[in-house]
Amino acid sequence: MRLNSPQINIITRACNKASRSLIRDFGEIENLQVSSKGPGDFVTSADKRTEKFIINELQKAYPEYGIITEESGILNKDNTKNRWIIDPIDGTMNFLNGIPHFAISIGYEEDNEIKCGVIFDPIKNEMFCAEKGNGAYLNNSRIRVSNKKKLINALIVTGGPKHSSKIKEEIFSEFIEVSKKVHAPIRKFGSAALDVAYVACGRFDGYWQKEINYWDIAAGIIILKEAGGFIDFFEQDNKASLKRNILASNSNIHDELGGLIIKKNIE
Ligand code: LIP
């Protein structure tokens, strides 16, 4: 693999180390403490412990970098030039229910652009990673998006809406519109990070989701781009917002899929 920035090395190492206790926790879910962040939104002691461990590893190398995390919020707020974006467990609901489909996601952002990132599924031992200009990989193999040309033949994945969403009708009507245009039923796997990674390696052809959190998809941005895909944060007026509407695809079907999504602001 030809990814060699200090940041990608640090992230990769942090993911590998953090995954050991995560795998152990997954085998003993019944012992985990679970608390609720809101209706239908849970956090486990495994999320918190993994996040703490990752922050510690990253701070050993670059104590001054900013950090945006799912569980601890924003650290080193003033540094907006160099930032780590961390989701310790993307797919917490899967994790909590013993479904082996979740991932650690860490992206590195410089001057508001994601430069490298890793999405690591510790159960399947699949590490997706990429660095700007140097390609995207799944473990040691280079990955590329699919080359499906027509939406009708595409396998599409989506997520949401959350219980708290105020635009549920809109999200469900998009779901109906997209289902009318594809042969295969739309998938919902419950981990946005892995959804994007799967588009990057050609398992899915497209993914969209409204009101997604930045930490869920930050690493996926560079992985998808380096795999030849196209990513669009439509109707995103407020660039500083941590909520995004995302449309990610193999490029070929982008316009066709985008045409079915209701374009309205999320702010
Ligand atoms: C979850 C996602 C899931 C998405 C939810 C949520 P969490 O992340 O990855 O696919 O539909 O909106 O954000 O909370 O498990 O890290």
Side-chain angles (χ1 to χ4, degrees):
M1 185 163 53
R2 277 168 290 139
L3 307 185
N4 47 29
S5 66
Q7 286 85 1
I8 195 84
N9 287 329
I10 289 160
I11 303 177
T12 310
R13 213 172 32 240
C15 279
N16 272 322
K17 283 191 185 172
S19 69
R20 290 179 208 139
S21 59
L22 202 51
I23 293 170
R24 230 178 6 252
D25 285 341
F26 185 64
E28 302 168 358
I29 315 165
E30 62 285 355
N31 298 334
L32 292 176
Q33 286 168 7
V34 182
S35 40
S36 170
K37 296 194 274 185
D41 199 3
F42 296 99
V43 59
T44 66
S45 44
D47 292 77
K48 290 183 182 160
R49 193 158 0 116
T50 309
E51 184 171 288
K52 206 166 158 209
F53 179 88
I54 292 170
I55 291 174
N56 200 31
E57 285 293 304
L58 303 180
Q59 281 189 328
K60 269 195 240 164
Y62 293 102
E64 74 284 10
Y65 278 15
I67 301 184
I68 298 178
T69 70
E70 169 155 26
E71 312 305 343
S72 321
I74 305 182
L75 311 178
N76 285 349
K77 255 197 194 89
D78 294 340
N79 189 348
T80 51
K81 184 178 167 54
N82 311 92
R83 300 200 287 195
W84 306 110
I85 324 292
I86 306 168
D87 190 348
I89 306 180
D90 180 60
T92 302
M93 220 40 199
N94 284 348
F95 179 87
L96 206 50
N97 284 277
I99 299 168
H101 191 77
F102 54 87
I104 301 173
S105 171
I106 310 177
Y108 168 63
E109 188 195 76
E110 212 173 85
D111 297 320
N112 293 313
E113 188 190 358
I114 299 286
K115 297 286 187 191
C116 63
V118 170
I119 295 171
F120 184 40
D121 174 342
I123 302 301
K124 301 181 203 75
N125 194 22
E126 288 192 326
M127 182 172 280
F128 299 86
C129 49
E131 185 177 273
K132 191 176 178 191
N134 286 332
Y137 292 81
L138 165 50
N139 295 337
N140 288 318
S141 308
R142 190 89 189 239
I143 50 171
R144 267 205 75 72
V145 290
S146 72
N147 65 0
K148 296 247 182 73
K149 304 261 182 310
K150 296 250 173 268
L151 184 59
I152 185 93
N153 300 318
L155 189 58
I156 304 295
V157 63
T158 189
K162 284 206 162 146
H163 179 88
S164 56
S165 175
K166 301 214 165 40
I167 55 163
K168 287 202 186 76
E169 272 79 26
E170 186 179 308
I171 290 171
F172 287 126
S173 75
E174 283 171 357
F175 191 93
I176 293 170
E177 286 316 301
V178 177
S179 349
K180 285 182 192 161
K181 302 284 188 214
V182 287
H183 281 318
I186 297 170
R187 266 50 175 166
K188 268 193 177 191
F189 276 28
S191 163
L194 288 174
D195 291 342
V196 180
Y198 280 21
V199 177
C201 70
R203 291 175 184 167
F204 292 132
D205 307 297
Y207 159 71
W208 93 98
Q209 184 164 353
K210 282 189 164 158
E211 305 179 312
I212 193 79
N213 292 308
Y214 187 39
W215 49 77
D216 293 326
I217 42 84
I221 296 173
I222 188 70
I223 295 170
L224 183 73
K225 280 187 184 164
E226 287 295 320
F230 196 71
I231 201 151
D232 191 1
F233 295 105
F234 54 95
E235 305 291 324
Q236 186 74 39
D237 284 344
N238 177 3
K239 296 265 188 297
S241 169
L242 292 177
K243 281 255 185 269
R244 309 274 157 116
N245 291 328
I246 179 176
L247 174 59
S249 77
N250 71 359
S251 300
N252 295 333
I253 60 159
H254 208 84
D255 291 345
E256 233 187 317
L257 181 57
L260 302 169
I261 311 297
I262 301 165
K263 307 274 168 78
K264 269 200 217 147
N265 284 331
I266 54 170
E267 297 300 322

